[in-house]
Each structure stands twice: as C-alpha cells, then as structure tokens.
Amino acid sequence: MHVVHLTSAHPRYDTRVFVKQCRSLAAQGYKVTLVVADGKGSEQREGVNIVDVGRPRGRLDRMLDSTRRVFMTALALDARIYHLHDPELIPYGLRLKRGGKTVIFDAHEDLPKQLLGKPYLGPVSARALSGVLAAYEAFASRRFDGVVAATPSIRDKFLALKCRSIDVNNFPIAGELGSPAGDNENTGGGGRQVCYVGGLTEVRGAREMVAAAALLGTDTSIDLVGAFNPPLLGEELRRHAGWARIREHGYLDRSGVARVMQQSMAGLVTLLPAPNHLDSQPNKMFEYMSAGLPVIASDFPLWRSIIEDNACGICVDPAKPQQIADAIDFLVTNPAVARHLGDNGRELVHTRYNWRNEEKKLVEFYAEFA
C-alpha cells in the first residue's frame, strides 16, 4: 500500500515524521513517500522516498504557494493514504477526501490552545482566532478518515468530536541517545554541564534558563541545542550576564544531540505555562530519560506525575530562575542522587515510554484502512 506523508513546515528528518513514523511504516512493508519543502533535493533514505518541492521564499510563501506545491506533488503520486503533518495542509486534505483518498491528519499540537499562547497576539484577538481555528479544525477532522494525536489529551479532544482518533506519543527510540546499559559516565556529576535541546523561544523559557545560569553556585555550564526564534532574542540573551555560563551549539543532527546528552549530567525542559504546554508531553523530556539523564522540568501537574511520581527528576517553577539554578546545583553536588534519578528515567522509557509501544499503535491504526 502506498502512503504519502506531507509537510511544508517540518524538516525532512523530523523526529516524529521521518525518524519514527515514516521509517516504521516502511519497515512494515508499506511503500512510503515523504513530500517536503526544503530545497535540499529528492532522495531515497532508509526505505523512504523523499520528494522535495523546493524551499519556500518566506513564511507567507510557505503557507500559500509551498503548501500548494506539496499538495500537487503528492496528488500526482496517486497514493492510497495521505498523512498530513501541518495545519496549513488541512484545506488540501479536504480536497484529497473529495477525490476519494484516505486522509489522516497528524495533530502534533493542540492548535487552538497553541494560538492562545502566541505573544504577538493580544488576548482578545487570540481568543477570537482560536475559536475560529477550533471550529474549522472540528469541521475538517470529522471529514477525515482519522486523526493521529501526539498526546492523550489531544486524542480525547478529537474523540469528543466523534472523530476516529488514537494517540501516538513522541516517545523515544530506546537506546538511541544514550547507552542502554546505563554507562553514561557524566550522569550524576562526572560532567559539569546540563543541556537543553529544542526551540529557543520566550515561551519555552529561554530567558529564564540564561538568567538561571547567572545564579549557579557551582561551576556548571548550560548547553543550548537549537535555534533562537526570533533571532533578536538570541542577540539579547548573548548580552546577559548569564551567557558566560552558556555554550551555544545551534541546530544539531541526531548524532550531535546524542553527543551533547552523553556529555551532560541533566536535561532541562522548563517551558513556561502557556495553554498548549500544560497537557503536552515534550519529546525531549523523554529523550533525556532515555539517555539516562535526570530531568529538570516545569512543575505542571501532568509533568510532575511523570517526573516526580516516578523519581526521575525535579520539577520547578519555570518562571523562577533561582529554582532552576538550585535544581542544577543540587544534582551537581549530589551525584549519587542524580545517577539514581537518571537510572529510573531510563528504566521507565525501556518499559513504558518508548517508540516500540507507540509504533504498534500506529501500525494497527493503518491496518484499519487496508
């Protein structure tokens, strides 16, 4: 069965789209094509045929012409199943449905809640646009054949809309980012650094992490892996007193991320309490656990139930840099505790929070359309 995954926004080797879903389906015998828009050319990789429609010239071009090119290229492939990964592709998903195709929408985020957290929108505008988007999302999703949700809370939202929906969580591939035997020598104090991997934005706590670096009582650095958005935020933070304790790596591929994690003694995921974050399950939180790193996470109820109830890290108020700094200092000065927390997290990923379990759900869901 030929399956086409479509994205105009994600990079071709996106962890959820390519590394997990496309590769897993290809390994199960599906003919898998991934249509992207990055200007890096077409290629065949790990059983997946990647077709590139060219890099967009800007955000507006990505949302308009680039999405059209992705759609037209995908349509020409005349596949059985089309799997959409971006909200701007929803109108084209409806066109595919009218053409008799099986269409699956992948809800990476809770889009209406995500809009409520946009800093460039005022509260009134945000609520209005969020309501319009929620109504359109509900209209379209009821017409699609299925919705693959990144978290149980997003799945439950679509189930309440009477949509066929499952959760396929962004849990890590066990052992990919650290030694499965637990031999990370830096975890628990051998390395004087902690890491953050992901987008560097205000709502993800970039400003608070740099402020925490200035408050550290131990000789520890914070390694940042990712790109600043907007770039002006990076320019601002590089002038902060805490930047002397920051090591900036920019974007790294999976092997680079693994290297940084293996050299670190803890992982940070201190996102601010935006509406879209409270019920999210950040991919990097579980990747830290997979690498055997204790996690320093935001003190949201769901995250606390994962991190502290399973004794694999420390939860803090993400808006208080002193609490972040104190958690880092505690782990650095208590290496045995840090190692114990890291071991607990790795075991939890091995038994529960891993891609192997999520892959089974994805494959069973696809089998319904055979």
Side-chain angles (χ1 to χ4, degrees):
M1 186 186 300
H2 190 187
V3 178
V4 175
H5 285 246
L6 295 76
T7 178
S8 59
H10 291 82
R12 66 177 56 205
Y13 304 138
D14 180 84
T15 303
R16 177 174 179 82
V17 180
F18 173 77
V19 174
K20 294 175 181 173
Q21 293 191 16
C22 288
R23 293 199 316 173
S24 290
L25 291 170
Q28 291 294 321
Y30 287 90
K31 177 183 178 182
V32 181
T33 301
L34 171 62
V35 182
V36 299
D38 61 9
K40 296 181 179 179
S42 301
E43 64 172 319
Q44 186 83 19
R45 187 181 181 96
E46 299 183 67
V48 179
N49 184 34
I50 301 176
V51 179
D52 178 23
V53 303
R55 183 181 181 86
R57 294 182 294 274
R59 177 175 292 184
L60 186 61
D61 181 56
R62 176 180 69 80
M63 296 185 69
L64 297 177
D65 193 52
S66 186
T67 55
R68 182 190 60 81
R69 295 196 306 271
V70 166
F71 164 70
M72 295 301 294
T73 300
L75 182 63
L77 293 169
D78 194 25
R80 170 81 174 276
I81 298 177
Y82 289 84
H83 192 135
L84 317 176
H85 288 277
D86 308 314
E88 52 261 46
L89 291 170
I90 288 176
Y92 294 109
L94 293 173
R95 290 178 62 177
L96 288 165
K97 273 303 302 174
R98 290 196 294 270
K101 301 298 185 180
T102 298
V103 179
I104 297 170
F105 176 61
D106 204 299
H108 294 213
E109 306 279 355
D110 189 319
L111 296 174
K113 285 186 178 180
Q114 187 182 42
L115 199 61
L116 290 173
K118 295 296 184 182
Y120 51 81
L121 293 174
V124 175
S125 297
R127 285 196 296 272
L129 289 173
S130 177
V132 171
L133 180 58
Y136 181 68
E137 183 185 61
F139 167 82
S141 60
R142 290 191 182 103
R143 285 154 178 79
F144 292 155
D145 296 277
V147 177
V148 174
T151 69
S153 65
I154 298 175
R155 174 205 62 199
D156 291 344
K157 181 186 79 169
F158 284 103
L159 288 176
L161 294 171
K162 308 302 181 183
C163 302
R164 174 193 264 171
S165 182
I166 61 163
D167 61 299
V168 176
N169 299 272
N170 281 330
F171 296 154
I173 299 170
E176 180 192 11
L177 297 171
S179 169
D183 297 328
N184 184 347
E185 63 180 12
N186 294 315
T187 303
R192 290 288 184 169
Q193 67 188 65
V194 300
C195 65
Y196 168 82
V197 180
L200 292 162
T201 66
E202 288 190 34
V203 76
R204 288 175 178 260
R207 187 171 279 114
E208 287 73 17
M209 285 190 288
V210 175
L215 301 172
L216 290 170
T218 56
D219 183 19
T220 308
S221 67
I222 300 178
D223 283 36
L224 301 180
V225 179
F228 281 101
N229 186 20
L232 285 175
L233 176 63
E235 295 178 16
E236 172 197 334
L237 293 181
R238 292 182 190 100
R239 297 191 295 269
H240 193 285
W243 196 259
R245 295 288 191 89
I246 299 293
R247 296 198 296 185
E248 184 183 8
H249 295 268
Y251 174 81
L252 295 177
D253 60 15
R254 299 293 286 173
S255 62
V257 170
R259 183 174 62 254
V260 170
M261 287 188 182
Q262 290 163 12
Q263 294 169 350
S264 299
M265 49 74 57
L268 293 168
V269 58
T270 49
L271 279 59
L272 297 181
N276 193 46
H277 289 163
L278 299 178
D279 294 318
S280 67
Q281 296 183 152
N283 183 39
K284 292 303 180 287
M285 179 165 70
F286 298 100
E287 290 187 346
Y288 296 147
M289 293 161 60
S290 176
L293 301 182
V295 182
I296 299 172
S298 302
D299 190 21
F300 304 152
L302 174 61
W303 296 15
R304 190 167 58 246
S305 71
I306 297 171
I307 299 301
E308 293 196 338
D309 289 1
N310 291 292
C312 53
I314 301 171
C315 289
V316 300
D317 185 336
K320 295 182 178 178
Q322 188 64 63
Q323 288 194 19
I324 299 172
D326 289 346
I328 294 171
D329 287 339
F330 174 81
L331 293 174
V332 168
T333 55
N334 293 274
V337 174
R339 188 170 293 111
H340 176 67
L341 296 174
D343 288 344
N344 288 345
R346 182 189 290 107
E347 179 61 24
L348 199 59
V349 167
H350 178 72
T351 57
R352 179 178 177 184
Y353 297 118
N354 60 74
W355 176 245
R356 181 179 63 252
N357 294 336
E358 301 307 300
E359 179 185 59
K360 292 177 182 177
K361 293 191 291 185
L362 178 68
V363 171
E364 290 172 359
F365 189 64
Y366 261 76
E368 296 179 18
F369 306 112

